[in-house]
Amino acid sequence: MKLGIIGLPNVGKSTLFNAITKAGAEAANYPFCTIEPNVGIVTVPDERVQKLHEIYNSKKTTFATIEFCDIAGLVRGASKGEGLGNQFLGHIREVEAIVHVVRCFEDDNIVHVEGRIDPAADIATIDTELILSDMEILERRMAKAKSSMKGGNKAQAGELATMERIYAQLEEGRNARELEFDDPEEEAFVKGLGLLSYKPVIYVANVAEDEAADASGDSYVKQVADIAEKSGAQIVAICASLEAEIAELDGEERDMFLEELGISESGLDRLIKASYRLLDLISFLTAGADECRAWTIKDGTKAPQAAGKIHTDFERGFIRAETIAYDKFMEAGGSLAAAREKGWLRSEGRDYVMKDGDIVNFLFNV
């Protein structure tokens, strides 16, 4: 999965990116420090994979990963090419979801591009630029569809109606993602338009250090939370500068530091969980002496399609899936033989819907 970190200049985007990827992207107190997007691959923490590795003493252990892109700061007028607007908007189109960093802290030493701290206004600024960009795209697409229909091609009537519905939504200053599409084909068409305001969003409220353990009473965070609730977005409160410190620590030292701060898990862990919820993702597991691995799929994926994530031959020649829930496997002492005796090892067919934490062995014949 590929997530794009966006926001106004100097809100903490690159600091957050550095912290969660340890990539060392430049972070400076002036706009457009990030021009080309920095890219970092982050391992998804999963204790289940580590436990399976210990049980099987596997030669290889592979965790799921997320690709984060730190994209240039946006300014008012970006949809018209202000700042690095056109470049910025182009980079966002390539990601599956947006991580929108919003400044929720006071600091006289870090300038705000608009000269004030106002999370709701900051969100509105970026939303407006994304909406204006989407309207330009739709205007061109609708003009093309109308021209095609005049030439006798009536097949695009449905697509034109969908685009007009979205355009009306954007004209009201509302994001396309707030619309619902019941028809799967219509939904697929809308996704194919590449609209920026249709992409799912996680708001990262970048808070001060003294708010890192509990930001629930912060008035700035409350603004962001209200917007997230209305638009169906996720929200995570993180202190980016503190995450940068946490990123430098390993293992026990990191855990002790978090405990001292009164934080149960790092901002990265919470951001990853929010990403999975936002994109409706789960993980199934494969385990053996050669490799223990987590595979990311959409919730609701059936066994043959999950098998296809490993190899297309697995889906094409799918016979059945031998599967057991991770918790049951551990309850059986990490022994498939013991699990089989207890009746916990199941044989599932083509219609089986995968569950998070399923340990699976796919049987196939090509």
Side-chain angles (χ1 to χ4, degrees):
M1 117 175 91
K2 189 174 184 179
L3 306 181
I5 303 176
I6 71 168
L8 292 171
N10 301 337
V11 297
K13 294 184 298 79
S14 294
T15 302
L16 178 65
F17 176 83
N18 287 342
I20 62 181
T21 66
K22 298 184 183 179
E26 188 176 4
N29 187 21
Y30 57 90
F32 312 126
C33 171
T34 305
I35 299 176
E36 288 300 319
N38 296 296
V39 178
I41 307 295
V42 176
T43 296
V44 176
D46 195 332
E47 187 182 46
R48 300 171 301 187
V49 180
Q50 186 60 40
K51 290 287 186 184
L52 291 173
H53 164 75
E54 292 167 7
I55 290 168
Y56 285 94
N57 192 27
S58 55
K59 296 174 186 175
K60 186 178 178 183
T61 304
T62 307
F63 293 85
T65 58
I66 296 178
E67 184 176 325
F68 283 97
C69 302
D70 177 26
I71 299 171
L74 179 67
V75 294
R76 193 183 304 278
S79 61
K80 302 298 181 187
E82 290 294 321
L84 296 169
N86 292 330
Q87 274 184 271
F88 172 97
L89 297 169
H91 294 316
I92 303 176
R93 294 192 202 286
E94 299 172 6
V95 303
E96 292 176 60
I98 293 169
V99 177
H100 183 168
V101 182
V102 186
R103 180 170 171 174
C104 294
F105 65 90
E106 303 272 359
D107 189 334
D108 293 338
N109 295 316
I110 302 176
V111 298
H112 189 291
V113 72
E114 297 280 0
R116 80 286 180 272
I117 309 301
D118 188 341
D122 290 354
I123 291 171
T125 295
I126 285 190
D127 280 353
T128 297
E129 297 307 321
L130 301 188
I131 286 169
L132 289 172
S133 176
D134 286 350
M135 289 176 73
E136 280 190 24
I137 287 174
L138 285 175
E139 284 165 4
R140 290 196 296 269
R141 290 290 296 263
M142 288 190 298
K144 189 175 179 180
K146 288 174 182 175
S147 176
S148 179
M149 288 173 66
K150 283 180 182 177
N153 183 359
K154 303 299 181 185
Q156 290 191 315
E159 293 180 357
L160 178 60
T162 298
M163 289 189 286
E164 287 175 340
R165 179 187 169 199
I166 298 169
Y167 193 85
Q169 170 93 348
L170 299 178
E171 276 191 312
E172 294 176 5
R174 297 165 63 193
N175 291 299
R177 64 177 172 272
E178 295 174 41
L179 286 171
E180 292 185 5
F181 302 94
D182 297 327
D183 182 352
E185 287 189 13
E186 185 181 30
E187 185 178 17
F189 168 71
V190 176
K191 284 182 179 178
L193 291 172
L195 300 177
L196 302 176
S197 70
Y198 188 66
K199 292 184 182 294
V201 173
I202 301 171
Y203 290 111
V204 170
N206 189 12
V207 299
E209 285 194 19
D210 58 1
E211 300 279 354
D214 182 10
S216 58
D218 188 290
S219 60
Y220 291 146
V221 175
K222 179 73 164 55
Q223 288 182 40
V224 182
D226 288 346
I227 291 168
E229 185 177 1
K230 289 174 185 174
S231 63
Q234 296 281 326
I235 176 173
V236 180
I238 292 176
C239 175
S241 59
L242 199 59
E243 287 296 316
E245 293 181 44
I246 294 169
E248 297 302 318
L249 305 176
D250 291 316
E252 192 174 323
E253 193 179 12
R254 175 178 174 274
D255 293 339
M256 287 175 61
F257 185 56
L258 288 171
E259 188 175 344
E260 286 176 15
L261 294 170
I263 301 172
S264 58
E265 57 184 347
S266 72
L268 172 59
D269 290 348
R270 288 183 285 118
L271 179 57
I272 287 172
K273 287 179 181 177
S275 303
Y276 270 64
R277 288 194 301 271
L278 183 74
L279 296 174
D280 205 19
L281 300 174
I282 62 171
S283 293
F284 72 88
L285 313 168
T286 52
D290 288 334
E291 183 182 30
C292 292
R293 181 166 181 166
W295 303 84
T296 303
I297 55 173
K298 278 276 189 183
D299 194 6
T301 299
K302 291 186 177 180
Q305 287 68 51
K309 285 283 290 185
I310 300 174
H311 198 286
T312 52
D313 284 350
F314 284 25
E315 181 177 359
R316 189 158 53 92
F318 179 87
I319 299 172
R320 66 180 184 276
E322 290 182 346
T323 182
I324 181 172
Y326 172 81
D327 291 343
K328 286 295 184 183
F329 178 71
M330 297 305 292
E331 194 178 330
S335 166
L336 283 178
R340 186 178 281 107
E341 284 180 15
K342 293 177 181 291
W344 293 342
L345 186 63
R346 311 184 313 275
S347 181
E348 302 288 359
R350 290 184 166 278
D351 292 330
Y352 176 67
V353 177
M354 302 292 293
K355 305 290 190 300
D356 185 57
D358 275 348
I359 302 173
V360 192
N361 177 40
F362 292 110
L363 302 180
F364 70 103
N365 181 29
V366 178

